[in-house]
Amino acid sequence: MQTFEYRKPSTVAEAISAAGELHARFVAGETTLVDLMKLNVETPQVVIDINSLPLNRIERTSDGGLRIGAMVRNSDLAHDTTVQWDYPVLAQALLAGASGQLRNMATTGGNLLQHTRCYYFRDTVRWLTVMDAGRMINLKTARNQIVGGVVMGIGMALFEETIYDSRNGKPINNNYADYLVPVNLDIPEIDVMFLDYPDKVMSEYGARGVGEIGLTGCASAPAMATYHATGVRIRALPIRLEKLMV
């Protein structure tokens, strides 16, 4: 975890002002900010603790709606008479969403500030691949083959795309200057695990051909992580920022 400045504003105005600074993040019940900071997914320079702010009221609005303060605990919201009577689905969802201990700590604002629980979002430094490829005859060469497949999958998901000339069907980017491929700095640490369970049905040695099996699923994993983080389904690779702007 990197160093940061901790602030505890006494008013809402102070909190809003502090949030305008670069790399500032709020922390409150159930934000999971501390967990993400430990993983270096989040690296804020300023952490703003809003737990003590007077934002724990549940009140009706003039148009018949409901205003819920950011610091209202989930348990209080779920058992509020107005919520139970007028918004029963909300009350049921809150009671079904976590244990009693978590509901007593979690806040409305904290839940809204949560990030995805997706493993690929939270583990920013490692790619883990677990393979069932029968008995390993040569572990080193098998691992190298799988690592190569993972790199191919990352390239397929994030970089590689052949662009064709609509006039004659010839590829336009048929050179390494224009056709993007991943390089060392684009690839995270890759861990490969083999179950090493002999497959006697395949052969008397119990071994299978590894081949390019390491590529399977590698392109879909970043696409799923992108969906979990943004809510946008990517139907055509590679994943580009402009495809998320919908």
Side-chain angles (χ1 to χ4, degrees), residues 125-129 143-144 146-152 154 186-193 218:
V125 295
R126 185 175 68 125
W127 183 295
L128 173 63
T129 296
R143 181 189 182 280
N144 289 346
I146 299 302
V147 169
V150 171
V151 173
M152 290 171 61
I154 294 174
D186 299 315
I187 303 300
E189 176 187 349
I190 299 175
D191 285 350
V192 179
M193 295 176 58
C218 287

Side-chain angles (χ1 to χ4, degrees), residues 127 149-161 179-180 182 215 217-226 234 236-241 243:
W127 183 295
V150 171
V151 173
M152 290 171 61
I154 294 174
M156 178 181 178
L158 302 177
F159 296 93
E160 299 183 47
E161 180 181 24
Y179 187 90
L180 300 180
L215 174 62
C218 287
S220 61
M224 287 301 300
T226 301
I234 301 297
L237 299 176
I239 302 169
R240 301 278 194 229
L241 287 176
K243 294 180 181 179

